[in-house]
Amino acid sequence: MNHVLNEGEYRLENIAARRDDLVMISGCSGGGKSTLLEELSRRGFATCEEPGRQMVREQLFIDGEALPWTNLPLFVELTISRSINVMTEAARRGGRTFFDRGIVDQIAGLEQAGHIVPPVYLRAAERLRYHRQVFLLPPWPEIYRNDAERRHGLETAIEAFRYLENAYRRFGYELVEVPRAGVGERADFILSTLAQQEPG
């Protein structure tokens, strides 16, 4: 009996075909990613909230243990699963989507903490590819703030940024640093950079 894929199932070829529309925004924690995503959403683009922050809120709500400061390996497992889900949904939906962090970010977090990265995570990062240009927001001490979902200090965030840079380069992405500027200027910079890569 042949197995027929239905619309709800995951297909790597669907993601590969939409790669140029799946745009990753990453960088230093507290560097303004959420505000930038809100601006891109206001301009009519689809956006996906950072999976890690979603997971922290959910785990705090249910008194769960999948928190980066309690059980980092479990936290990473769940956030990678969430990243895969939102990526496949975006590929099915069509149109350009901007993401706040993804699979490579979680791998970098494990490496920073000194954990061995399971081969299945590396395989996921290799198979599930975003636009070749990844937009990185650099450390910005003047706007850095802690909250219930971000408990680490600025020094840890800056160290994590270096791990992110290295991880994205290893997976073959071109890194584009977004200048420290007003949110509108940052959005304009990203959109104009992407437009330069489009044919015609």
Side-chain angles (χ1 to χ4, degrees):
M1 179 177 177
N2 292 330
H3 177 64
V4 179
L5 289 171
N6 61 46
E7 184 181 2
E9 293 188 85
Y10 293 1
R11 302 182 67 172
L12 288 175
E13 59 267 32
N14 289 349
I15 296 174
R18 303 301 307 178
R19 177 181 177 183
D20 288 346
D21 287 326
L22 307 175
V23 182
M24 176 56 62
I25 296 176
S26 185
C28 190
S29 177
K33 294 187 305 303
S34 298
T35 303
L36 177 54
L37 267 287
E38 289 172 4
E39 173 65 15
L40 290 166
S41 176
R42 188 187 67 78
R43 297 187 186 197
F45 292 99
T47 61
C48 292
E49 184 186 6
E50 180 183 341
R53 289 181 78 85
Q54 290 178 339
M55 193 58 57
V56 168
R57 283 199 302 270
E58 291 172 11
Q59 292 296 305
L60 290 174
F61 182 66
I62 64 172
D63 294 325
E65 65 172 303
L67 294 162
W69 52 84
T70 302
N71 189 334
L72 180 62
L74 180 58
F75 171 79
V76 168
E77 179 182 358
L78 294 179
T79 51
I80 286 180
S81 177
R82 180 71 55 86
S83 296
I84 293 171
N85 178 261
V86 297
M87 191 179 191
T88 54
E89 289 293 331
R92 281 200 293 270
R93 182 172 60 242
R96 176 154 283 167
T97 300
F98 291 92
F99 299 84
D100 184 345
R101 298 201 186 279
I103 299 166
V104 177
D105 296 72
Q106 303 307 328
I107 289 173
L110 277 180
E111 292 175 338
Q112 181 184 5
H115 290 268
I116 295 174
V117 179
V120 67
Y121 297 169
L122 302 175
R123 189 158 60 245
E126 289 288 357
R127 290 182 178 179
L128 304 170
R129 308 285 295 180
Y130 299 89
H131 188 286
R132 66 180 181 83
Q133 291 180 310
V134 169
F135 293 91
L136 288 185
L137 274 62
W140 195 344
E142 289 78 10
I143 68 170
Y144 186 87
R145 296 290 183 273
N146 289 107
D147 56 35
E149 299 157 21
R150 183 189 298 129
R151 298 186 178 184
H152 53 268
L154 178 61
E155 289 185 5
T156 301
I158 293 173
E159 180 187 34
F161 181 75
R162 302 306 172 199
Y163 276 89
L164 276 176
E165 288 182 306
N166 292 334
Y168 273 108
R169 286 197 181 99
R170 285 203 319 273
F171 284 102
Y173 288 98
E174 174 189 339
L175 304 185
V176 179
E177 186 166 303
V178 180
R180 297 184 186 91
V183 64
E185 294 173 76
R186 286 181 142 189
D188 290 342
F189 173 82
I190 289 174
L191 296 175
S192 64
T193 302
L194 290 170
Q196 293 171 17
Q197 306 303 316
E198 294 173 353

